[in-house]
Amino acid sequence: MVAKTKLDIMDGRTALGIEFGSTRIKSVLIGSDLSPIAAGSFEWENTLENGIWTYSLEDIWKGLRVSYRKMATEVFEKYGESLTTIGSIGFSAMMHGYMAFDEKDELLVPFRTWRNSITAEAEQKLTEVFQYNIPQRWSIAHLYQAILNQEDHISDVRFLTTLAGYIHWQMTGQKVLGVGDASGMFPIDTDTKDYDQEMMEKFSELASGPGFAQKLDQILPKVLLAGEVAGSLTKEGAYLLDPTGTLQAGIPLCPPEGDAGTGMVATNSVRQRSGNVSAGTSAFAMIVLEEKLKQVHPEIDLVTTPVGDLVAMVHTNNCSSEINAWISLFKEFSESLGLEISTEKLYTTLFEKALEGSPDCGGMLSYGYYSGENITGMNEGRPLFVRTPDSKFDLANFMRLHLSSAFGAMRIGMEILREENIKIDKLVGHGGIFKTPEVGQRILAAAMEAPVTVMETAGEGGAWGIALLAAYQKEKSGMSLAKFLEEKVFATSEGVTIEPQVEDLQGYSQFIERYEEGLPIEATAINVLK
């Protein structure tokens, strides 16, 4: 096996995927069998600066280089080879947000991430004019809000893109974007697989004025589908990625994608009636639709697969951050006692403890809102834990509560899709919350009221997904993406499926009723805790 992998590396029969997640930048190198052979990562966090959630350009480039270097070091240590070339490369990142550049390619304002809930006026006006849901985190909402605010930089915008699009541009010189990521910037016409022209014309009429005279088709990246050529690594790009000069230029790149699209790929969920749930700092459930929704729902995003098929996405800004905060507190406590317990051990122990808790979480209530939550109408977030004097307050219920709460807003959104009579044949979970076997999967099955499958590769996530898209770009040989995944990647992949248990369904229903009724408490906390 090692000898075969060495040959893959020497002959460039590899593909590299790098994904910029909310808390981790991960690099995954795959071999000719499309399974991971080396990985590296860099932990990072967004910062709140002047009321804006952002990541600095310095951290973006530092994180990319460190993540890549760790992966390349693992390759050398395991296989004795230096990475001079790679078969193909792909970049992906958290979707949406606002990265606006001027004619000198300079960033005009700090990167505004998806996490910001500062575009309510734009969201309302654009949704009304388009008759198509435009969430606050979408790039076009950020642009229009900046226009409404008469921000000084608006007249200087010459290019608008996402984080993945920015990285790809710097690597190749190409201002392009995968259709899935593009669908989080501006609505996509699923017939033409390009930006919706009628809506672009409506935006021009709406936004035209002395401050903004640009046309959207002049500042948005070109839309590409999975499998299409998206440029190659330049000498400058190679140096940005690997300052040692070991990596050579000329490597082909696939279209940059968003984390929603790579999640679909990593879970083999690109066919109609398939779906997946990605759970991390934020969370989203995505269902590939057979037809358009009958109504406009502000709780439901409409995005696309990496090949341009329509997807209904229930996106929540908050998921595991509050869980992570409590785990950090427990770790600090154990260290204060002089106990050396690994973070992994803490997560596993506390997650498993949650299954000993009551399905209704002991009558307690939690909102892990670190930022605003559009589905529940919260423009800001205040992490909140509430209990009555007679709640069953113990460790098991405490942990089950926070895991159940992590999927609370998503459950509310999924109830809307049920009203649209959306059919789901399979639902696959992936992300860090599923690393501990059974726990997150079982609670999600109760929240979704549907069987949930977790693949063996659940922990690989989007970095593996974009690596697969990079491999597909080079090896597709006329195959559809769905067929490529089914026959080349997941043909022998084993998954574990958990059906929702009756007691879990009943308990979660009691919890979600309390969760919805308690939302005014969260609103009060926002008003009081300024």
Side-chain angles (χ1 to χ4, degrees), residues 32 55 98 191 203 232 268 335 341 448:
S32 58
Y55 297 89
Y98 186 74
D191 293 326
F203 182 84
S232 58
N268 192 22
E335 289 172 345
I341 305 174
M448 299 291 102

Side-chain angles (χ1 to χ4, degrees), residues 319-355:
C319 183
S320 64
S321 292
E322 182 71 343
I323 297 171
N324 298 338
W326 284 109
I327 298 289
S328 295
L329 184 70
F330 291 134
K331 185 170 178 60
E332 182 182 352
F333 171 71
S334 65
E335 289 172 345
S336 298
L337 293 175
L339 302 175
E340 293 185 6
I341 305 174
S342 70
T343 301
E344 183 178 358
K345 175 67 173 177
L346 274 174
Y347 272 97
T348 301
T349 301
L350 292 169
F351 271 44
E352 290 176 345
K353 191 70 178 177
L355 292 187

Side-chain angles (χ1 to χ4, degrees), residues 359-378:
D360 72 343
C361 308
M364 299 185 291
L365 190 58
S366 168
Y367 299 98
Y369 290 4
Y370 270 59
S371 56
E373 191 59 77
N374 297 334
I375 286 180
T376 54
M378 302 295 167

Side-chain angles (χ1 to χ4, degrees), residues 176 224-225 227-232 252-255 473 476:
V176 300
L224 296 177
L225 304 182
E228 294 185 332
V229 177
S232 58
L253 270 73
C254 71
Q473 186 264 326
K476 58 184 182 296

